[in-house]
Amino acid sequence: AMEYHSLPPSTTSPSFSSSKRAAMIGTILGCAVCAILLVMSGVSSASMLGFGARASPMTMSHQPAFTSRAGNFKTMARVGGVDIPNRKKLEISLQSIYGIGSATAKSIIHNTEVENKRVYELEEEELIKVRAEVDKYVIEGDLRRQIRQDIARLIDIQCFRGRRHQAGLPCRGQNTKNNARTRKRNRHVKI
């Protein structure tokens, strides 16, 4: 049986609106339902309200802990300091690392002689090989830092490309009379 709480005396005053009173009642009832759910952890909320049968153990928090990575989709493989997608093939998953594209991913798989299968199907030894090969490349934060330093160097020596970076314009000879919207973003002053 649910225990009903009486409303505080201040809620019965005329200055307390009906919507605030309804919100407070909902909060109190919601807390009571949550407390009951915590106490009766073996029963789902639907069955507690009379809408269904007893919950199966797999729907509750009693799920078994998997020992191998192959059966556990929740454990992400960490390569190069990045969690790569588990359900995609290795070649595609490696491309989620900044600095590794299609060609680099193919060369990593070729060099390690690892089969291109889904990441959760990989054995730990295969993952170690892939991690060792990825560590040979400049990726993620190091690559971003290197690109920033290169652009800063171009700006410092005031070459054409450096001045174009400084002005926020295309560097590779594109026309800017009509297009170049991406580089000329935020230039229009609206009055």
Side-chain angles (χ1 to χ4, degrees):
M2 286 180 49
E3 191 177 311
Y4 291 100
H5 299 280
S6 62
L7 292 175
S10 61
T11 60
T12 56
S13 67
S15 64
F16 206 80
S17 69
S18 61
S19 61
K20 287 182 183 177
R21 190 175 299 116
M24 183 173 279
I25 292 170
T27 305
I28 292 170
L29 289 177
C31 291
V33 170
C34 290
I36 292 171
L37 282 175
L38 288 174
V39 171
M40 306 171 75
S41 61
V43 181
S44 70
S45 59
S47 65
M48 190 183 78
L49 296 173
F51 295 121
R54 185 171 173 80
S56 69
M58 292 302 285
T59 59
M60 301 306 291
S61 62
H62 308 295
Q63 295 177 347
F66 293 103
T67 54
S68 68
R69 278 186 20 79
N72 190 353
F73 291 111
K74 293 179 183 175
T75 306
M76 300 282 281
R78 198 155 179 84
V79 178
V82 177
D83 289 336
I84 60 174
N86 232 4
R87 294 195 146 187
K88 295 181 179 177
K89 295 226 175 179
L90 181 60
E91 183 183 332
I92 303 300
S93 289
L94 285 174
Q95 293 178 38
S96 66
I97 300 171
Y98 183 80
I100 296 181
S102 177
T104 311
K106 284 178 186 170
S107 88
I108 288 170
I109 291 172
H110 176 73
N111 293 344
T112 56
E113 298 173 354
V114 172
E115 186 183 341
N116 185 21
K117 52 189 175 184
R118 300 200 184 272
V119 174
Y120 69 86
E121 295 171 347
L122 292 173
E123 298 298 325
E124 197 59 39
E125 298 82 31
E126 294 172 325
L127 268 176
I128 290 170
K129 284 183 190 176
V130 170
R131 287 182 188 124
E133 186 67 26
V134 167
D135 287 342
K136 296 177 182 176
Y137 293 91
V138 179
I139 54 169
E140 286 296 321
D142 295 337
L143 180 59
R144 288 187 173 100
R145 189 177 316 107
Q146 182 180 339
I147 291 171
R148 268 197 318 271
Q149 288 172 349
D150 290 345
I151 292 172
R153 180 182 53 82
L154 291 172
I155 291 171
D156 286 345
I157 63 175
Q158 284 292 299
C159 67
F160 177 79
R161 283 173 52 209
R163 284 186 276 129
R164 298 297 277 186
H165 274 292
Q166 207 169 16
L169 293 168
C171 301
R172 299 181 178 180
Q174 297 96 321
N175 290 336
T176 56
K177 180 178 178 181
N178 295 323
N179 295 324
R181 285 294 101 202
T182 303
R183 290 288 295 184
K184 290 166 72 173
R185 177 183 318 172
N186 299 334
R187 289 179 178 267
H188 298 288
V189 178
K190 293 183 180 178
I191 301 174

